[in-house]
Amino acid sequence: MLVSLLAVMEAQTPHVTAASKPRESALALRWREFAAGGLILVLLVTGFLLAAGAAAYHGGPLLHNHHPLPINLRGVFEPLKLGLSRADFQVIIAIFTLSYFGVLLLAGSISKGVGIGAIVALHVMFMLAPALLSGDIFNYIGYARLEVLHHLNAYYHPLAAAPTDSAFPYAGWPNNTSAYGPLFTLASLPLAWIGVAGAMWTLKVVMTASSLACVALVWACAKRLGREPLPAILYFGLSPLLLLFAVGGGHNDLLMLVPMLAGVLYLLRDDARGVLGIVAGIGIKFSAGVLLPFAVIGAKDRRRTLLWAVGGLAAIAVLALAIFGSHIANVRGVIAHDSTLETPNNVPAFFLNTILHLGLHKHTQGTIGTIVLVPTLLGLMIWTWRGADWLTAAGWATLALLATTTWLLPWYPVWWLPIAAMLRSPVQRYVGVALTVLVIVLQLPLK
């Protein structure tokens, strides 16, 4: 039933079946446009309520860290004092998500101006909200301050090495060294000189701009692939996982996606240098690495693409070693440690324990996930080598990673959603809708 319902998403124009019923067709078209406009309005209203409601709290249900937030970290909506309970937030998020699905169903009835306007407006709303559902943005700030103000290597010292720092009370991972790429760490260093509040709002602006740049790149890639671009950007740009979690939380995943998607666009033009965009994404956050083997294997000129990739990776490695020293290698340990953890909204736990009631320990879940993931990735690489579309295979590979990890945070699907949005085949978009439902349902019991 879900697949048959979602198939409507691919309809770009209303279907007129008989010239003898022009009034009925015109009326149906008008009602679709009216319904689509109404759903866009609901998205705008509920998005505003979420952003403004979160700003009213010292440390409310949409905030990962309950340490009291000063006014300068709560944003411009704070004076509205829009007090919402945890139940209110849950209901509003549910309405926001259902309205998003309705917009996808009626995408063919939404004009370009209305669609782009809604995407921009909602991005601005969530940019102006305080950091939502995560303290990661304060980790970014903390690592920059650790390097610049405390002269400590963020790849060797955790944030707890400077417990008196102004950013420390809000950090989500005080006992971890940095897990982020050297390009991001290097670019974030100037944040140390503008204070915690200035750094947080600067990051919110940068990540919002990055997200909008990704929307533009999805548009360009979709056109290159022969897909209607407006439904593609509605799918990605209005996603609650993107807006509420990634933009709202100010996550650097969005910054990672900009060069990655730019690289995809160049590769779609058969320009081997496009692989450098994916390499740059890896330098920001290592999650972009899942695309790299598929980009190389699926390239028209594999040898040239491989040389560009190796050269780019070597340049980043030299830069990282020169600035951060050998401690950059500690990233592997941090990522390995995170992979042994378990979040309440991961796919293996949901299916193995919640659905099948197997009661498996997180380590067993992780082992099962690895057993599934490794041959899946190898099979997709072989499939690509034999001529399959590399971007489709890379999309499935990213989904396989998300579906098998026990450490799935609700903004991680944005690694994959732009790929699903731009592909001509709707299959990955159907799966994306299902994953969105799963993540939202598991996330709704807000702390």
Side-chain angles (χ1 to χ4, degrees):
M1 181 178 179
L2 179 63
V3 171
S4 62
L5 179 65
L6 293 175
V8 184
M9 290 165 49
E10 299 307 305
Q12 304 303 319
T13 56
H15 182 57
V16 180
T17 57
S20 60
K21 297 181 180 180
R23 287 188 178 180
E24 182 180 357
S25 299
L27 182 62
L29 174 61
R30 198 166 296 130
W31 273 108
R32 285 173 60 87
E33 292 174 346
F34 177 79
L39 288 167
I40 290 288
L41 181 60
V42 172
L43 280 177
L44 293 171
V45 171
T46 51
F48 173 78
L49 290 175
L50 290 171
Y57 284 84
H58 290 279
L62 287 190
L63 304 176
H64 173 78
N65 194 312
H66 291 263
H67 191 281
L69 290 177
I71 289 177
N72 61 357
L73 293 181
R74 284 186 268 157
V76 298
F77 296 134
E78 190 277 336
L80 298 177
K81 306 294 183 185
L82 183 61
L84 298 174
S85 68
R86 182 169 68 176
D88 293 333
F89 278 113
Q90 292 173 343
V91 170
I92 295 170
I93 292 172
I95 294 172
F96 186 91
T97 304
L98 290 173
S99 300
Y100 163 69
F101 293 149
V103 167
L104 298 185
L105 289 169
L106 298 174
S109 299
I110 297 173
S111 69
K112 182 168 70 173
V114 170
I116 294 174
I119 290 171
V120 173
L122 283 163
H123 271 72
V124 172
M125 289 179 194
F126 283 101
M127 177 187 74
L128 296 174
L132 303 181
L133 285 161
S134 170
D136 282 8
I137 196 169
F138 297 108
N139 294 349
Y140 311 154
I141 298 167
Y143 291 129
R145 294 171 67 86
L146 205 62
E147 290 273 357
V148 175
L149 302 182
H150 304 285
H151 310 292
L152 298 174
N153 192 319
Y155 294 104
Y156 183 73
H157 297 279
L159 297 177
T164 59
D165 188 88
S166 301
F168 182 75
Y170 314 109
W173 294 94
N175 297 313
N176 279 9
T177 55
S178 177
Y180 308 116
L183 296 186
F184 176 75
T185 302
L186 183 62
S188 67
L189 295 182
L191 296 173
W193 296 317
I194 57 176
V196 175
M200 191 202 81
W201 293 114
T202 297
L203 282 169
K204 288 295 291 283
V205 171
V206 169
M207 299 312 167
T208 301
S210 298
S211 184
L212 290 172
C214 291
V215 171
L217 287 165
V218 168
W219 178 288
C221 290
K223 286 188 69 174
R224 185 72 186 179
L225 291 167
R227 167 157 160 75
E228 286 292 329
L230 182 59
I233 66 168
L234 292 175
Y235 183 90
F236 175 67
L238 294 178
S239 168
L241 302 184
L242 173 72
L243 291 168
L244 177 58
F245 297 103
V247 176
H251 288 284
N252 62 3
D253 305 71
L254 299 170
L255 191 63
M256 172 197 78
L257 284 174
V258 175
M260 189 188 89
L261 292 177
V264 168
L265 179 60
Y266 273 87
L267 287 167
L268 291 176
R269 296 170 177 170
D270 292 328
D271 189 335
R273 293 171 297 179
V275 77
L276 292 176
I278 297 175
V279 170
I282 296 170
I284 294 170
K285 192 166 185 176
F286 298 102
S287 314
V290 68
L291 264 69
L292 188 58
F294 296 95
V296 172
I297 295 171
K300 188 174 183 180
D301 187 340
R302 288 174 181 158
R303 182 176 175 274
R304 191 161 177 258
T305 305
L306 179 61
L307 289 174
W308 279 112
V310 171
L313 290 171
I316 291 176
V318 170
L319 179 67
L321 287 170
I323 297 176
F324 302 108
S326 60
H327 296 307
I328 188 72
N330 290 341
V331 170
R332 293 178 301 174
V334 177
I335 295 174
H337 174 261
D338 287 351
S339 67
T340 66
L341 301 177
E342 180 182 8
T343 55
N345 47 319
N346 73 79
V347 177
F350 177 75
F351 283 103
L352 296 174
N353 290 347
T354 304
I355 300 298
L356 299 179
H357 304 288
L358 298 179
L360 299 178
H361 190 271
K362 61 184 178 183
H363 295 300
T364 305
Q365 297 172 30
T367 300
I368 293 173
T370 302
I371 291 172
V372 172
L373 178 63
V374 172
T376 299
L377 294 180
L378 290 175
L380 288 168
M381 289 179 195
I382 294 171
W383 186 47
T384 305
W385 183 272
R386 292 179 175 176
D389 175 57
W390 75 268
L391 191 57
T392 300
W396 287 122
T398 309
L399 175 62
L401 177 63
L402 296 171
T404 55
T405 180
T406 59
W407 186 247
L408 175 63
L409 293 169
W411 53 90
Y412 283 4
V414 302
W415 308 342
W416 167 60
L417 289 178
I419 298 174
M422 67 179 69
L423 293 175
R424 292 190 66 182
S425 170
V427 178
Q428 290 193 31
R429 289 191 288 282
Y430 299 159
V431 180
V433 168
L435 182 61
T436 299
V437 171
L438 177 61
V439 171
I440 293 292
V441 168
L442 292 173
Q443 189 66 35
L444 274 182
L446 301 170
K447 296 291 189 277

